[in-house]
Amino acid sequence: MSELVWKTAVELAALIKRGEVSATEALRAHLEQIDAVNPELNAIVTYLPEMALELAREADDKQARGDSLGVLHGLPIAHKDANETKGIRTTMGSPVYRDYVPESDDLIIARLKAAGCITLGKTNVPEFGAGSHTFNRVFGATRNPYDLSRTCGGSSGGAAVALAAGMIPIADGSDLGGSLRNPASFCNVVGFRPSPGRVPKYPGSNAWARLSVDGPMGRTVQDVALMLQAIAGYDPRAPISLEAPASLFADDLGRDFTNVKIAYSPDLGELPVDPQVIETIDKQLPVFSDLGCLLEGAAPDFRDAYDIFQTLRAWSFELSFAERFAEFGEEQFKETIRWNVARGQGLTGADISRTEVKRTELFHRVREFLDTYEFLLLPTAQAPPFLLEWEYPTQINGVAMETYIDWMMSCAFITVTELPAISVPCGFTEDGLPVGLQIVGRPRSDFAVLQLAYAFQEATRFYERKPPICIL
């Protein structure tokens, strides 16, 4: 049974559909793993094994009747505690929502359920997903399975840890400044930030919002592609959702990369990056030459990207929290959220409009760069997983991080371009801490990004290295 938890999602789904393993058997194996490792890791914070067992039995009955099965039939999953789940507590990591039970599912949750997933609980997040360190006053901190003294990143931190430790085979998450990519990097799993609209979001107070996207996480690129077959695709309630069908992600990930031009930048020309991260990635760069790629050191001009991200993030925080502050009192929210909201409240219309002009100019500079290079490679995170007791790194390479999100700019700069980006395992520091490589593609080239990530993964296979806590 324990071997089942280390099957890829693609492998496990195939075993279930062939009738070699039942959904109930697959779930029981994962529940045993959760009981064994979650008490130390604190990744799954609302845990519903009895409900999950009933869902698994229903899935087995459905299969026995010969009913049509979804692409994720029988796969256990725990949903990010920032996504609303019908009838299941959704705290968002905040004391003010400690007992909140939604009456409906967010769209991504509804699609996962329709595809046959077996919900077993919720995964931990920072308070309202703010910051890339998963801790809150409701459930406490989630620990990194590769080093229990370190953070797992965030905001989809509980999801990444649950994947890395064999508690679930796939996970949902979201990404504004790196919330799918950073925890994937810190936990040796795959986190994919798709193009805005690829995975439609509903409901929401701003249906045209594009900074934050929902997306998949898995232990392999194939598992991420499998999940996209369930969660991607047009929805009329989401005005920016893309028309391309989810079946696009069922195509073969294999591709010949001979003579494909790729750029690599360790720092985008201006960001401080820990030498351990650069050294770990540098060791793997020859893999791309082995794949036939033409790899060159180069980067687009990311001038203004920092100010663009900080301004648009602050604007979105003011929109998200102004009513909550009025309802609950702003003292109920952590200081970094209050700071971000205050910055948003101080913005003028002229600030925002001029920022959008700069963002447009940035997009075209990067787009033109990618006319020459099909992909851009860079570190996912600027530092390895940091100590659990830190709220965030206050310096990297002696450069002060002025805000709680300054250290995340290797992801945030990519966010404001709206380009698809993935974090794929790229090795380990001398201390055994995971490091992720970020692969960025051309506009809406989501599938091509998966193809290059898959080629790199198969050449390196770092995903096969289990966390120490899981090695018996």
Side-chain angles (χ1 to χ4, degrees):
M1 291 286 283
S2 63
E3 293 180 1
L4 289 179
V5 305
W6 297 114
K7 297 290 185 184
T8 69
V10 170
E11 292 169 341
L12 186 57
L15 287 172
I16 294 171
K17 287 189 177 178
R18 290 198 301 265
E20 296 177 31
V21 174
S22 70
T24 302
E25 289 171 332
L27 176 64
R28 288 191 184 279
H30 286 86
L31 295 181
E32 289 176 7
Q33 184 74 354
I34 292 167
D35 292 341
V37 301
N38 195 56
E40 283 194 82
L41 295 172
N42 193 35
I44 295 175
V45 289
T46 293
Y47 185 36
L48 303 166
E50 295 305 320
M51 184 195 79
L53 284 166
E54 180 59 32
L55 292 172
R57 286 189 285 266
E58 291 175 3
D60 289 333
D61 290 344
K62 182 177 182 179
Q63 186 167 355
R65 292 193 302 268
D67 293 352
S68 177
L69 305 177
V71 295
L72 306 178
H73 173 76
L75 293 183
I77 193 169
H79 305 298
K80 184 174 181 177
D81 202 25
N83 282 323
E84 298 210 355
T85 43
K86 181 179 179 180
I88 301 174
R89 179 176 58 165
T90 301
T91 75
M92 304 177 205
S94 168
V96 302
Y97 286 100
R98 183 188 300 271
D99 301 312
Y100 173 57
V101 179
E103 297 181 357
S104 61
D105 289 320
D106 282 349
L107 178 57
I108 187 174
I109 305 301
R111 287 188 168 184
L112 289 167
K113 288 181 177 180
C117 280
I118 309 298
T119 298
L120 58 80
K122 304 295 288 285
T123 56
N124 205 20
V125 295
E127 185 175 329
F128 289 104
S132 193
H133 179 10
T134 298
F135 72 96
N136 59 63
R137 291 171 288 168
V138 182
F139 299 115
T142 299
R143 297 178 179 271
N144 192 309
Y146 286 89
D147 183 337
L148 298 180
S149 71
R150 304 274 172 167
T151 180
C152 60
S155 62
S156 308
V161 172
L163 283 168
M167 291 186 258
I168 49 176
I170 53 171
D172 55 81
S174 55
D175 186 304
L176 194 162
S179 289
L180 281 159
R181 292 164 288 166
N182 270 333
S185 175
F186 281 8
C187 295
N188 196 47
V189 298
V190 179
F192 182 45
R193 178 190 165 90
S195 301
R198 182 71 65 193
V199 178
K201 294 171 71 76
Y202 179 82
S205 58
N206 181 2
W208 280 266
R210 308 177 73 95
L211 276 194
S212 178
V213 302
D214 288 340
M217 302 182 81
R219 287 196 293 272
T220 70
V221 177
Q222 304 97 300
D223 294 348
V224 164
L226 177 68
M227 186 169 163
L228 282 165
Q229 294 173 49
I231 62 176
Y234 177 75
D235 187 283
R237 297 167 296 180
I240 70 166
S241 62
L242 302 180
E243 295 281 356
S247 58
L248 162 70
F249 297 99
D251 290 349
D252 186 1
L253 288 170
R255 175 181 164 185
D256 181 0
F257 282 96
T258 301
N259 294 327
V260 172
K261 293 190 71 173
I262 296 176
Y264 169 64
S265 176
D267 57 8
L268 297 184
E270 61 179 278
L271 300 175
V273 180
D274 190 296
Q276 298 174 86
V277 171
I278 295 175
E279 290 168 10
T280 302
I281 292 176
D282 281 350
K283 291 177 184 177
Q284 305 307 321
L285 292 179
V287 169
F288 292 97
S289 298
D290 295 341
L291 293 172
C293 300
L294 304 177
L295 182 66
E296 299 178 6
D301 177 1
F302 272 93
R303 183 175 68 253
D304 299 323
Y306 178 87
D307 289 338
I308 293 167
F309 179 76
Q310 290 281 25
T311 297
L312 296 181
R313 180 184 174 94
W315 184 32
S316 71
F317 265 59
E318 192 283 328
L319 176 64
S320 296
F321 289 97
E323 291 185 5
R324 288 170 174 157
F325 279 15
E327 180 178 359
F328 300 109
E330 65 178 81
E331 69 280 358
Q332 297 297 320
F333 299 78
K334 68 178 182 179
E335 189 278 330
T336 46
I337 290 177
R338 298 198 303 271
W339 170 82
N340 237 160
V341 173
R343 179 162 184 172
Q345 291 170 333
L347 294 171
T348 67
D351 292 330
I352 296 165
S353 61
R354 288 166 184 160
T355 296
E356 290 291 5
V357 170
K358 290 180 180 179
R359 187 185 188 193
T360 301
E361 294 169 348
L362 170 65
F363 170 77
H364 288 302
R365 291 197 301 271
V366 177
R367 177 187 57 78
E368 290 167 3
F369 177 88
L370 291 173
D371 286 342
T372 300
Y373 301 98
E374 186 174 348
F375 301 96
L376 171 64
L377 311 181
L378 70 154
T380 302
Q382 292 167 237
F386 52 87
L387 291 173
L388 202 68
E389 56 264 28
W390 296 4
E391 184 173 1
Y392 59 90
T394 56
Q395 64 84 29
I396 297 176
N397 292 358
V399 178
M401 303 291 103
E402 299 296 336
T403 78
Y404 78 114
I405 46 179
D406 275 22
W407 70 276
M408 298 159 48
M409 290 300 131
S410 54
C411 280
F413 279 19
I414 304 304
T415 290
V416 296
T417 68
E418 298 193 6
L419 299 173
I422 196 167
S423 179
V424 64
C426 191
F428 298 82
T429 68
E430 291 184 1
D431 295 331
L433 298 175
V435 172
L437 174 69
Q438 189 173 186
I439 301 174
V440 182
R442 291 169 172 166
R444 297 187 181 180
S445 64
D446 301 53
F447 190 73
V449 170
L450 294 178
Q451 287 182 307
L452 183 58
Y454 170 71
F456 178 77
Q457 168 194 278
E458 292 304 288
T460 56
R461 303 188 75 83
F462 289 117
Y463 73 91
E464 295 178 341
R465 179 165 164 177
K466 298 181 179 67
I469 193 173
C470 298
I471 299 174
L472 302 178

